[in-house]
Structures are given as structure tokens and as C-alpha cells.
Amino acid sequence: MRKLGLSVGILFMITGFIAISVSSVSARDGFNVSLGVKGWANQWETSFFFNDTSYAGQNVKVTTDSKFVPIPVLAVKYGNAFISGSYYTKTNFTFNKFNYRATYTTTGTIVETLAASADRSEWDANIGYYIHPSVALSVGYKNITQDYSQTVSSPGITYTQPTSKSTTEIKGPTVGIVGNAPIGSGFGLYGNISYGWLKSKYTGVSTEDNSSYVLSDTGFNYMFKSVPLLVNLGYRYQSIYTDVSSGLKAPDVTTGFVLGANLVF
């Protein structure tokens, strides 16, 4: 809770800076360049697969504490058309430890503990068009990189290489819809949702797995009268479900509040 409170505190501090988001830009004529950052206090849940009867061959879900992640954003809009991109800055996460059973010819079946962490970064690029002053459609590309470090231990056991490293890269095309709706006195609602057909590739593996991607970001915003400044507070959800084997889907879900201050030039 203390880490989450610190993350939320930093989020409120970040609104003192200029954060630009194409989802906050209303569809109007002219040329706009938007540049800035938004902040996401997010918790990450992913999964590991073990061929262990104690888990009945299912995925083991692991979670992290909430962390604040700054996301720089660049957007260019001309008339009703726009291009945009964002970068989820590289952030290190530590997952909760868990136990599982493993069988070796030298020791037989033992209980091992896995401690895992990961450096994670993402980027996306999109092009879109406003079909209505408050609604835009987009197509884009998403790339997610997850660099894992896993350390195994067991009481009384000495491992020659207890720590292993691997990388998972998830990428592919996306489509999306963006919406804004004023509700009066400078306040409004905003929302966007994207869906993607991604491919997951792993270190040392030549084949790829199919992954379905969903992103939703909804909330409230407020436009100041004296300056072209819009602040927003919302909730962001991102899920990736990967087909790993025999119809089994491995979940990778990130959720949390997002806060920003948006200025359009």
C-alpha cells in the first residue's frame, strides 16, 4: 500500500508537467503537434507454465506490486487525420515467489522456489481518422519486450546455474476506436479501446505463438478555459492472452489508474 500511495503521489506531481495524448485531442481543423507524457500506476500479472502435477499442467499466475510508469507520447494531427506514438519506459518488476515440484535423476522429486523479475518496455504507433468530431478510428502496431530473470532454489540443493535469463517479444497489428464526449462546465468523458492480433516469440525458440491483445482506457477529463490545458483521470486495462498448448491460454494482464495533463499546440 505504501508503494501504491507513493505511485499515486508521483502521478499527481506529474500533472505539473505537460502530457499530451491524441485521445485527448478533439477533432478540429488545422495542424497540431502534441508532445508530452502521461503516468500509469499499474500492476502486472503474468504466468509461467510448469509440467507439474501439483498444478495439473496449468499456468501459474504471478503478480507484482503497483509501479508508476511514465509514458512519453507524440502526436501529429492535420484536419481529421492523425498519427501518434507512445513509449512505455523500461521498468523493472519483481513477481511474487512460488513453489513447484521438479524431478531430477540425482535427487528425485523435490520442491523448488522460483524468484522472478522482469524488465518491461513497450511502444506503439498509430494512424487514424476522425469520422465524427468526437469519434476516431485507428490502425497501428504494438511491440512489447519482456526481459525475464529467474532464480531457482531448494533447501539443501546447490545449483551450478541457479539464475536463467530469457526474453519474450510480443508484437503485431492493432485496430482501435477513440471517443470524447463533453458533459458540461468543462468536464467530459473519454475512452478508447484497441484490439490486436499479435505474435509472441521467445528466446531460443524458432516458433511463435498467437496472442490476442486488448487495451481499454476510459475516464473523466476537464478543459481549462484560460489555457488549452486538459487534465484527465482514468483507468487503463491491457490484456494479452497467448495460445501456448492444447487450447491453453497464458494470461498477461496489466491494470491501474492513469493521470495526465494535456496541452495541444
Side-chain angles (χ1 to χ4, degrees):
M1 292 299 295
R2 185 176 180 181
K3 290 183 179 180
L4 178 58
L6 178 60
S7 298
V8 174
I10 296 174
L11 272 174
F12 276 97
M13 291 174 63
I14 207 72
T15 58
F17 299 94
I18 303 303
I20 308 304
S21 171
V22 70
S23 63
S24 322
V25 180
S26 61
R28 63 175 183 269
D29 294 334
F31 179 79
N32 297 316
V33 176
S34 303
L35 177 65
V37 339
K38 55 186 175 182
W40 190 13
N42 62 110
Q43 184 179 53
W44 180 16
E45 176 188 273
T46 190
S47 57
F48 297 101
F49 180 80
F50 288 88
N51 190 17
D52 178 357
T53 55
S54 60
Y55 295 110
Q58 299 299 308
N59 290 298
V60 180
K61 294 181 180 179
V62 292
T63 59
T64 67
D65 290 333
S66 291
K67 279 201 172 183
F68 168 79
V69 179
I71 304 175
V73 178
L74 172 65
V76 178
K77 177 175 176 289
Y78 182 73
N80 288 329
F82 66 85
I83 60 174
S84 68
S86 69
Y87 177 68
Y88 180 108
T89 54
K90 180 179 285 190
T91 304
N92 182 265
F93 292 85
T94 299
F95 300 100
N96 60 287
K97 296 180 181 179
F98 65 92
N99 300 324
Y100 63 96
R101 294 184 298 182
T103 301
Y104 301 96
T105 56
T106 54
T107 61
T109 300
I110 61 174
V111 176
E112 294 183 324
T113 299
L114 184 70
S117 63
D119 289 327
R120 171 180 170 176
S121 62
E122 305 179 9
W123 62 265
D124 64 84
N126 304 276
I127 60 173
Y129 190 85
Y130 279 88
I131 60 174
H132 181 274
S134 295
V135 180
L137 302 178
S138 68
V139 295
Y141 190 85
K142 181 77 174 186
N143 185 289
I144 303 167
T145 302
Q146 301 167 347
D147 296 315
Y148 290 94
S149 176
Q150 303 177 50
T151 300
V152 64
S153 62
S154 183
I157 304 296
T158 300
Y159 295 85
T160 55
Q161 291 183 321
T163 300
S164 62
K165 297 183 181 295
S166 63
T167 297
T168 298
E169 188 172 28
I170 310 167
K171 57 187 178 180
T174 62
V175 295
I177 182 170
V178 178
N180 295 278
I183 57 177
S185 301
F187 290 94
L189 302 173
Y190 75 90
N192 67 75
I193 186 168
S194 298
Y195 184 86
W197 299 266
L198 311 186
K199 294 285 188 179
S200 293
K201 185 173 178 58
Y202 317 98
T203 301
V205 179
S206 59
T207 59
E208 297 178 332
D209 289 330
N210 294 321
S211 300
S212 58
Y213 166 82
V214 173
L215 172 70
S216 67
D217 189 349
T218 59
F220 298 90
N221 54 35
Y222 178 77
M223 175 66 75
F224 288 87
K225 294 182 179 180
S226 57
V227 292
L229 178 66
L230 183 145
V231 296
N232 62 277
L233 173 64
Y235 192 81
R236 186 179 176 96
Y237 168 91
Q238 177 177 290
S239 70
I240 304 163
Y241 281 85
T242 301
D243 299 322
V244 289
S245 63
S246 302
L248 186 66
K249 292 184 178 294
D252 188 287
V253 180
T254 309
T255 58
F257 289 98
V258 62
L259 182 63
N262 312 305
L263 183 65
V264 180
F265 297 95

